[in-house]
Amino acid sequence: MSNLMHTLELTGRTKMVLTEIVDVKSFDETSIVCKTEEEAIQIMGENLHIDTLDLDSGRLVISGLISAFKYSGAYAVKGTFWEKVFK
């Protein structure tokens, strides 16, 4: 398990700031799926926008009407078979 711990800050239901983000897997106006070192987080809502994405610092800022978010281990597996072999 990584020593990094992500944070999630929700202001009202219109702004979310996440830290320790390593990738954004998908996004549209109703869903954003991002990944930390440990797991994936899906943010759901309406008119969602990525205001800031800085993977160097791990910061993601989302605006829109946020209705829900959930954690998933679906993206916890890191790398392909060959990346694991040659690691």
Side-chain angles (χ1 to χ4, degrees):
M1 181 173 237
S2 173
N3 290 333
L4 300 175
M5 192 179 305
H6 75 277
T7 62
L8 185 148
E9 178 184 330
L10 182 62
T11 305
R13 289 179 55 197
T14 60
K15 181 179 178 184
M16 181 180 280
V17 179
L18 300 106
T19 63
E20 302 302 333
I21 300 300
V22 297
D23 196 11
V24 172
K25 292 294 187 182
S26 66
F27 62 93
D28 61 31
E29 289 187 347
T30 61
S31 176
I32 297 173
V33 178
C34 57
K35 182 180 177 296
T36 69
E37 286 288 333
E38 304 298 324
E39 58 198 339
I41 304 169
Q42 180 182 16
I43 299 97
M44 294 152 285
E46 299 173 20
N47 298 317
L48 298 178
H49 298 279
I50 295 177
D51 295 334
T52 304
L53 175 59
D54 184 350
L55 294 178
D56 290 332
S57 68
R59 187 166 188 263
L60 172 64
V61 180
I62 298 168
S63 63
L65 181 60
I66 299 164
S67 59
F69 63 92
K70 69 178 181 176
Y71 288 89
S72 169
Y75 292 106
V77 177
K78 298 177 183 120
T80 66
F81 171 77
W82 293 111
E83 289 171 334
K84 292 176 187 175
V85 169
F86 292 109
K87 189 172 184 179

